[in-house]
Amino acid sequence: MEYQGSLKDVRGRLVTFELSDELDIAKVSKGSNNGNIVANIAFENKDMLSDDQRKKIFALINDICEHTGYMNEEMYQKMKFYFMAYSGCDTFSIARNKVTKDFASRFIEFIIEWCFQMEIPFMNRDYHLSSNESRTLFIYLKYRSCFVCGKQHSDVAHVQAVGAGRNRRKIDHSKHEFMCLCRKHHQEQHTIGIDTFIRKHHLGVIKLNTEQIKELKIGG
């Protein structure tokens, strides 16, 4: 059982924390040793994997298991093995303070791209996109998956209007922001306006550099 909290007071070895959730003393007491409740305290490092990243990893693993029938722990170990083989990294743990945020982000990106390659549907797609991580959005663009509903073979859409009569082959796409939208949601975006559309669906947008534009074959 884990709780999060913030440090409030230190008086020698007497330390006071305020928990983010109310302590379920009945459950905690059940696991105690003759009524002696012991807790391990791990202080978070801002550069290390966050709880939100851990939740995202387990949500993705759960999506894969729902589609494939694998057990969660089995699939988690498989994804770790695939990522180690892909990246060349050593064995790792996503327990608190074990890997950096950057490492966790790369692991999340790897799982998301693997899901696209294996055509695994996302049960929690709003959650996966909520962080607005540029690399995650790039993967959605790469696989032409709608930012709203996940439908593949969708269209890359400019957030800023290109303008009637302008040659899309000659404009500087690096100055624009992009989304990927299916025909239905692309039409909705034009109907209600881009700002209302982004607020309604809680979407992020992405800017692309020259290399990414070439990789995605935008405007070519």
Side-chain angles (χ1 to χ4, degrees):
M1 184 180 300
E2 292 188 0
Y3 285 87
Q4 284 187 297
S6 55
L7 182 64
K8 292 299 180 182
D9 188 39
V10 178
R11 298 183 184 183
R13 292 192 297 167
L14 180 63
V15 182
T16 304
F17 282 86
E18 181 179 349
L19 302 181
S20 56
D21 297 303
E22 187 173 341
L23 180 67
D24 189 335
I25 191 65
K27 283 188 177 181
V28 172
S29 298
K30 284 182 179 179
S32 66
N33 184 11
N34 296 323
N36 183 30
I37 300 174
V38 178
N40 294 313
I41 299 173
F43 291 97
E44 289 190 359
N45 184 322
K46 64 181 179 63
D47 296 322
M48 303 302 282
L49 167 141
S50 68
D51 282 341
D52 186 64
Q53 286 178 312
R54 290 179 68 204
K55 290 176 183 176
K56 184 175 291 189
I57 290 168
F58 287 125
L60 285 165
I61 296 296
N62 186 64
D63 286 349
I64 298 171
C65 292
E66 287 289 333
H67 186 74
T68 63
Y70 279 103
M71 300 298 292
N72 284 61
E73 179 60 24
E74 181 182 12
M75 196 66 235
Y76 168 59
Q77 295 299 333
K78 281 180 176 289
M79 292 312 303
K80 283 179 59 177
F81 175 79
Y82 295 155
F83 183 66
M84 287 187 288
Y86 168 79
S87 66
C89 72
D90 295 328
T91 185
F92 61 94
S93 168
I94 60 168
R96 186 171 286 112
N97 292 335
K98 293 298 184 181
V99 295
T100 64
K101 283 184 177 178
D102 179 68
F103 183 94
S105 291
R106 287 187 283 116
F107 186 39
I108 290 168
E109 292 157 10
F110 175 82
I111 297 173
I112 290 174
E113 185 152 11
W114 187 88
C115 287
F116 275 120
Q117 292 169 349
M118 299 294 110
E119 299 184 356
I120 305 292
F122 294 122
M123 302 291 289
N124 300 290
R125 96 181 333 272
D126 289 345
Y127 181 60
H128 300 329
L129 283 175
S130 64
S131 64
N132 192 20
E133 294 177 3
S134 293
R135 180 62 193 174
T136 300
L137 296 175
F138 178 80
I139 294 171
Y140 274 78
L141 278 175
K142 178 179 178 179
Y143 288 90
R144 297 299 196 266
S145 181
C146 178
F147 279 21
V148 179
C149 67
K151 183 177 181 180
Q152 294 196 356
H153 310 295
S154 296
D155 301 322
V156 176
H158 288 82
V159 174
Q160 298 85 4
V162 173
R166 294 184 64 187
N167 189 335
R168 289 175 179 259
R169 293 176 180 270
K170 295 182 179 181
I171 66 173
D172 185 354
H173 294 283
S174 66
K175 297 184 182 300
H176 288 259
E177 294 174 315
F178 294 89
M179 294 184 294
C180 195
L181 300 173
C182 66
R183 296 296 173 87
K184 172 187 173 181
H185 287 109
H186 203 165
Q187 182 59 47
E188 181 189 11
Q189 178 249 305
H190 285 295
T191 301
I192 67 177
I194 187 63
D195 293 335
T196 301
F197 182 78
I198 288 175
R199 286 195 302 271
K200 175 183 176 181
H201 295 290
H202 309 288
L203 293 180
V205 297
I206 182 174
K207 292 196 74 172
L208 302 172
N209 59 38
T210 303
E211 291 74 20
Q212 290 172 328
I213 289 168
K214 288 181 180 178
E215 181 179 347
L216 296 179
K217 298 180 174 59
I218 295 175

